[in-house]
């Protein structure tokens, strides 16, 4: 199985939505654990990398795309 590629600052779509109704999250810290922040309500959550990779659907907006323009 191919590993999903993501980086700091990316906006990703998760399989399950946040209780506020948004399923878009911004990656704000990376390491063994990944901290993501809900785009809708700005609540942040720290989850293990393996669980994040399993629950992430796709990258909606890449951080490098927004810095280039």
């Amino acid at each position: 199985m191919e590993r999903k590629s993501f980086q700091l600052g990316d906006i990703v779509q998760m399989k399950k939505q946040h209780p506020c109704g948004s399923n878009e999250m911004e990656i704000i810290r990376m390491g063994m654990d990944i901290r993501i922040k809900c785009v809708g309500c700005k609540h942040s959550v720290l989850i293990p990398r393996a669980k994040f990779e399993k629950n992430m659907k796709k990258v909606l907006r890449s951080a490098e795309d927004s810095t280039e323009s």
Side-chain angles (χ1 to χ4, degrees):
M1 189 170 121
E2 184 181 322
R3 290 193 71 160
K4 297 175 183 172
S5 61
F6 51 87
Q7 59 186 355
L8 196 64
D10 285 356
I11 305 293
V12 297
Q13 181 180 20
M14 304 300 283
K15 287 183 181 175
K16 293 184 180 178
Q17 66 182 14
H18 191 254
C20 74
S22 174
N23 63 350
E24 294 183 9
M25 302 284 186
E26 179 184 1
I27 301 172
I28 56 175
R29 179 178 175 267
M30 289 177 57
M32 283 300 294
D33 296 325
I34 295 183
R35 185 170 295 276
I36 54 177
K37 180 172 69 173
C38 178
V39 173
C41 68
K42 309 295 186 216
H43 185 261
S44 67
V45 182
L46 184 68
I47 57 174
R49 180 180 283 267
K51 186 174 180 183
F52 173 80
E53 288 180 354
K54 181 179 154 223
N55 291 333
M56 184 184 87
K57 265 190 178 176
K58 62 183 176 181
V59 176
L60 297 174
R61 293 184 296 274
S62 181
E64 63 185 29
D65 291 346
S66 60
T67 57
E68 290 174 359
S69 49

